[in-house]
Amino acid sequence: MMPETPVLGLSCWYHDAAAALVSGGRVIAAAQEERFDRRKGSPGFPIHAIDYCLREAGISAADLAAVAFYEKPYAKLERILLSHLRAWPRSCSTFVDTVSACLGDRLILPLVLQRELGFSGEVAFLRHHQSHAASAFFASPFDEAAVLTIDGVGEWATTTMGTGRGADLSFLEELHFPDSLGLLYTAVTTWLGFEALHGEGKVMALADFGEPSFLESFHEMVAVRDDGSLAVDPSWFPFLEGGRMYGPRFVKAFGPAREPGSEITDLHRDMAASLQRFLEEAILQMVRRLHEITGLRRLCLAGGVGLNITATSRIPDETPFSELFIQPAAGDAGGALGSALQVWHAITGAQRCWSMDHARLGPAFGRPAMERALRLAGLRPKTLEGEDLLQQTAERVARGLVVGWFQGRMEFGPRALGSRSILADPRNPRMMDILNERVKHREPFRPYGVSVLEEALPECFEPSRPSPFMLQVARPLPSVRERIPAVVHANGTTRLQSLNAAVDGIYYDLVRCFGDLTGLPMVLNTSFNDRNEPIVCSPEDAVRCYVGTEMDALVMGPFLVEKNAS
Ligand SMILES: [Fe+2]
């Protein structure tokens, strides 16, 4: 066996397929398939992401010590069959669709790996929540921590509580299907007229505009016990009947679901706010329970619900956990990274030597590829180097231009963190509308985040904890609030990413430069994509998005192009 013992982790066949490669105890590469096949949330076998990971590591599939899969397909099938049988005959309408979605390639992964990659070595299947837990703890900087995973559902588990010590994870308590915070959130998301698995972030944003006037009703629908466990009332949410997310009782109480794209009323805003408040209270209860059974003060978190940053931002101030690490790819894509790390430690028995201090685990592209993409689109770039590139970019952002920023390796996970970002001036009170109308074409209630120099946090935000993955909301201090109208949300908070000089390289330098120019060391940062499109990956994707929207300028590597340069 090679000393580095390369392990490939995979998550696929549900949504947001991904691959990750661990070698020598480090994540060498990780990427979501959607970035390559350009289908948002692409669920299929992630052949492009796998090819990229192997290429980045400089190995072939034959060199792999093992492939790790992020869940146990037969256990998942068992859950789906049993829950349908228990609800028979009410479940017969969804039986064929739901069960057939669980058949196929997922049950014959070793054969698929042989067919697609020529790989015939060891394949390890991990529990879905073990993959989530490993993605959080093994990527964290902590030697010892409590570990919480919360999502819709894996095989049976919907929530797990445990601990991580060194290279070991252990599980203490768990909740099982159908008692699920993630499924509850997704159910109400679909009733609110947003897409399951994609619309949850929109509901979190919409919640800022409503009042939690239905909170009592949510407590009727789902009981939250003192020990953090839940009991979902099936008369409101018949999850066991497969396919149906909310029942007739829910519709009788709150009316029919909102048609996608139709008007959003106070009822919808208040339902979003009530759901959000309920989720926050339930998570805090779970976190307090986890402290009770572990006595620890550091917490690692993963699972799709971990991306609800309005909820998780309350943890350090309202529970005994003073330090928090959330896996930035907290959803199922992160399961690829977690399962690969877990299996690497199981095979080698070696101690940890890596933590995830940035998300730049995807592909980078050289100057020739960038130049070719620009010239093929008929664009004639200026070439700028060093400080000149930073100055000219910062000056354009400060002038109110919307700038596409494409540098280095692509981020892993749902957030753009300065490698594939669109940047703008947070001081401009019209910038939200400009971005929505001209570039992003998204719902007007969705807020934008901001990237701030880490050392400027204490004089700008409360709390001022570092937030390298844009997984923290904070309140701008009064002296700053008036100056950054484009990134202050309806409830007076801002979603922020902190930038570290030693970690964030050219992006840190650019924001420093913008600070020197304007006296404000922060820029508005949103993902480099148009509506319903995955974040750009290649120079061709970036050029297509630049040309297809009303973005003002594109800075890609050392190249600058702009529209209306006069
Ligand atoms: Fe999950």
Side-chain angles (χ1 to χ4, degrees):
M1 190 171 292
M2 295 165 68
E4 299 292 293
T5 317
V7 175
L8 178 70
L10 299 179
S11 62
C12 56
W13 294 315
Y14 180 46
H15 70 115
D16 213 9
L21 198 129
V22 172
S23 182
R26 298 167 179 280
V27 177
I28 304 295
Q32 292 132 279
E33 183 68 4
E34 64 163 21
R35 307 294 168 86
F36 302 95
D37 70 9
R38 309 306 300 154
R39 293 171 54 214
K40 199 166 171 76
S42 185
F45 185 73
I47 188 67
H48 302 94
I50 294 170
D51 280 349
Y52 154 68
C53 286
L54 294 173
R55 210 166 50 243
E56 188 73 41
I59 60 173
S60 70
D63 300 320
L64 291 168
V67 171
F69 193 62
Y70 82 130
E71 64 183 12
K72 291 180 181 286
Y74 284 95
K76 188 169 177 172
L77 180 62
E78 175 198 59
R79 187 250 304 162
I80 286 164
L81 284 174
L82 277 179
S83 57
H84 272 81
L85 290 175
R86 278 179 197 153
W88 200 265
R90 294 186 309 281
S91 59
C92 76
S93 60
T94 57
F95 181 81
V96 173
D97 282 353
T98 317
V99 172
S100 55
C102 278
L103 301 174
D105 282 352
R106 73 176 65 227
L107 298 182
I108 51 162
L109 178 62
L111 295 178
V112 175
L113 293 170
Q114 173 73 56
R115 184 183 74 209
E116 299 292 331
L117 306 175
F119 175 80
S120 54
E122 190 183 335
V123 182
F125 295 89
L126 273 71
R127 284 205 311 145
H128 186 96
H129 278 255
Q130 177 147 26
S131 300
H132 278 316
S135 79
F137 179 63
F138 293 140
S140 81
F142 308 142
D143 293 331
E144 180 179 37
V147 184
L148 177 65
T149 63
I150 316 174
D151 70 357
V153 58
E155 296 85 8
W156 286 97
T158 61
T159 299
T160 68
M161 298 184 189
T163 56
R165 283 190 182 85
D168 296 318
L169 275 175
S170 53
F171 294 85
L172 302 170
E173 293 184 0
E174 51 187 63
L175 301 183
H176 282 182
F177 178 80
D179 297 324
S180 166
L181 269 188
L183 286 180
L184 168 75
Y185 209 91
T186 296
V188 182
T189 293
T190 60
W191 180 83
L192 285 166
F194 301 110
E195 208 182 336
L197 305 174
H198 295 297
E200 286 81 354
K202 298 178 188 178
V203 173
M204 185 177 75
L206 187 62
D208 282 354
F209 294 85
E211 292 298 324
S213 45
F214 301 111
L215 185 58
E216 279 303 306
S217 306
F218 275 92
H219 280 284
E220 248 181 71
M221 297 180 237
V222 183
V224 182
R225 304 187 190 99
D226 288 346
D227 66 0
S229 65
L230 309 169
V232 174
D233 185 333
S235 69
W236 293 92
F237 298 103
F239 297 145
L240 277 168
E241 292 178 24
R244 288 212 305 161
M245 296 296 278
Y246 47 86
R249 191 171 172 192
F250 189 93
V251 174
K252 197 172 168 203
F254 300 108
R258 173 181 160 262
E259 282 298 317
S262 67
E263 188 195 356
I264 294 175
T265 66
D266 283 345
L267 170 69
H268 303 124
R269 285 184 276 270
D270 291 350
M271 280 295 279
S274 306
L275 171 70
Q276 176 65 28
R277 181 69 64 83
F278 178 83
L279 179 93
E280 291 172 22
E281 289 180 3
I283 289 176
L284 291 173
Q285 193 64 28
M286 287 173 177
V287 168
R288 290 186 190 110
R289 169 66 178 174
L290 183 52
H291 173 73
E292 211 174 271
I293 58 176
T294 64
L296 297 169
R297 297 203 173 267
R298 290 170 164 167
L299 173 65
C300 295
L301 189 52
V305 177
L307 292 172
N308 192 300
I309 64 170
T310 311
T312 57
S313 291
R314 293 178 60 180
I315 291 173
D317 293 325
E318 298 184 42
T319 76
F321 288 103
S322 51
E323 289 183 70
L324 177 62
F325 176 83
I326 303 172
Q327 164 56 240
D332 283 354
L337 181 145
S339 60
L341 282 164
Q342 176 74 68
V343 168
W344 188 89
H345 283 295
I347 293 176
T348 63
Q351 286 306 305
R352 289 158 61 201
C353 62
W354 175 85
S355 63
M356 188 169 178
D357 52 7
H358 63 80
R360 296 185 298 274
L361 299 169
F365 297 83
R367 286 186 181 204
M370 296 178 191
E371 201 166 13
R372 194 167 51 245
L374 290 162
R375 292 201 186 281
L376 274 174
L379 301 169
R380 285 208 243 143
K382 271 192 217 170
T383 305
L384 304 165
E385 304 287 349
E387 277 296 312
D388 199 20
L389 177 78
L390 303 175
Q391 281 291 343
Q392 296 231 21
T393 306
E395 184 263 321
R396 281 166 175 76
V397 175
R399 253 202 287 138
L401 303 190
V402 176
V403 178
W405 175 253
F406 182 109
Q407 301 289 342
R409 294 183 69 179
M410 182 180 72
E411 303 89 342
F412 181 53
R415 301 267 96 80
L417 298 167
S419 295
R420 305 286 185 276
S421 288
I422 293 172
L423 308 179
D425 190 343
R427 300 172 302 170
N428 187 335
R430 287 202 55 245
M431 192 47 78
M432 261 187 86
D433 293 338
I434 292 171
L435 281 166
N436 285 339
E437 286 160 20
R438 290 170 39 189
V439 183
K440 300 284 288 189
H441 305 113
R442 66 186 204 178
E443 297 83 357
F445 61 84
R446 292 174 64 193
Y448 288 98
V450 70
S451 302
V452 191
L453 300 188
E454 190 179 296
E455 57 270 27
L457 286 173
E459 71 214 39
C460 299
F461 294 98
E462 166 59 36
S464 56
R465 287 183 287 273
S467 168
F469 301 111
M470 207 179 265
L471 290 169
Q472 167 85 48
V473 293
R475 289 187 177 278
L477 297 179
S479 56
V480 175
R481 192 183 307 137
E482 304 294 310
R483 299 181 65 197
I484 52 171
V487 292
V488 180
H489 310 164
N491 65 358
T493 65
T494 294
R495 166 192 293 233
L496 65 86
Q497 174 195 10
S498 58
L499 301 177
N500 181 287
V503 174
D504 291 302
I506 188 172
Y507 187 43
Y508 173 94
D509 292 337
L510 174 70
V511 178
R512 175 188 47 77
C513 203
F514 182 82
D516 292 345
L517 207 60
T518 62
L520 195 69
M522 61 189 83
V523 299
L524 182 156
N525 170 12
T526 185
S527 54
F528 196 152
N529 59 333
D530 199 349
R531 187 177 191 168
N532 297 329
E533 177 200 25
I535 296 175
V536 301
C537 174
S538 69
E540 288 78 11
D541 302 332
V543 168
R544 202 179 310 121
C545 186
Y546 167 71
V547 171
T549 65
E550 293 178 61
M551 202 182 302
D552 298 299
L554 169 62
V555 179
M556 181 155 62
F559 302 113
L560 166 72
V561 286
E562 60 190 320
K563 297 164 188 160
N564 306 318
S566 58

